[in-house]
Amino acid sequence: MRNRTTLRGRRRPRTQRPTPPEAPEPWWKRHARTLWLGAGIPVIGAVVTAIALQLLGLGGESGPSPVPAPSGTASGRPSTAPFVVTARQEDDAGCTALPRRVSSPEDRADLVSGGDAGAVVRRNQGARVGELRVGLTLEGGASSLTVTSIGIRPTSPRAVEPLAGTLVCEPDGGGEAKIQLYADMDSPAPVFLQGRDSAQEYFRGNVVTLDPGEQVNLSATFSSEQGSREFELLIHYVQNGKEGTVPVPAPRGGRYAVTGFATRYGAVYEGSDGGVYRRLDDSRPCRWAPGSPGC
């Protein structure tokens, strides 16, 4: 008999199934960390930087700041005044003094060739000599009001030395007004008086009532004999039981200033009707101020 080899009892070796290849990871998972690090860190950095800038007060943009109340108006009142006021210098015969001697070619050309002498005065911060006459026109607004006073606020506690750089004197122009006011700017606390020789304050017993659309003209004269003074004008009024203040802009963008005559000047110019000024040899103001020392 053929020998048979029995395989009973012997286990057939198991064969393992091959592991299927893993599916490729989606691109968004592969790059999630990179994306997060690339985008997140700058965002966090920007937030931290912004917080630091705000804490230090260096932020490029901040919230709106409250708008301050305009000069001359009380807080909470509308920014526009309830009436209109304009000022003009009255062209009476007189002189203007400058703090310095006219030296620039532009200034000299304006004087001797009939140019804009007023521009020379404004450029050199001139002041009217002896008297400054200013015409004020008040025009009423939508409702009636009462002007209780016009205040004078000097920029210095006392008058200083008269301006002695250049004296410019122009011919007569003329003008008339309705209400006459006078103020002595040599006084430490000048106020409007009822006249040159009066000691009575005008607004102590008088007011100006301004109806809608009404115009009231005033003429204010500011005098100085001893020194020079710059100042501001403030109109005080009452409307519907409430008080207010309105500043009066100086004529033609200039300033309110007046000075007394100096004994001598660095230069003296006299004007003619044609607008041309000629320089005088005499540096004293004797023609316009005969009582000046040395005349």
Side-chain angles (χ1 to χ4, degrees), residues 254-281:
R255 63 173 186 157
Y256 292 113
V258 64
T259 180
F261 278 101
T263 304
R264 289 185 178 272
Y265 292 88
V268 176
Y269 288 83
E270 181 185 24
S272 65
D273 293 335
V276 176
Y277 289 77
R278 65 185 183 94
R279 182 172 176 179
L280 304 181
D281 294 332

Side-chain angles (χ1 to χ4, degrees), residues 84-102:
V84 178
V85 54
T86 56
R88 64 196 176 278
Q89 181 172 321
E90 297 181 351
D91 296 327
D92 295 330
C95 302
T96 300
L98 312 181
R100 296 170 295 278
R101 181 175 177 177
V102 170

Side-chain angles (χ1 to χ4, degrees), residues 216-238:
V216 175
N217 295 318
L218 306 94
S219 179
T221 299
F222 307 89
S223 71
S224 177
E225 297 179 358
Q226 305 300 324
S228 63
R229 203 85 175 272
E230 184 177 358
F231 55 96
E232 300 173 347
L233 292 181
L234 303 171
I235 294 181
H236 304 282
Y237 68 92
V238 174

Side-chain angles (χ1 to χ4, degrees), residues 65-85:
S65 300
V67 179
S71 176
T73 59
S75 177
R77 295 183 180 273
S79 59
T80 56
F83 63 95
V84 178
V85 54

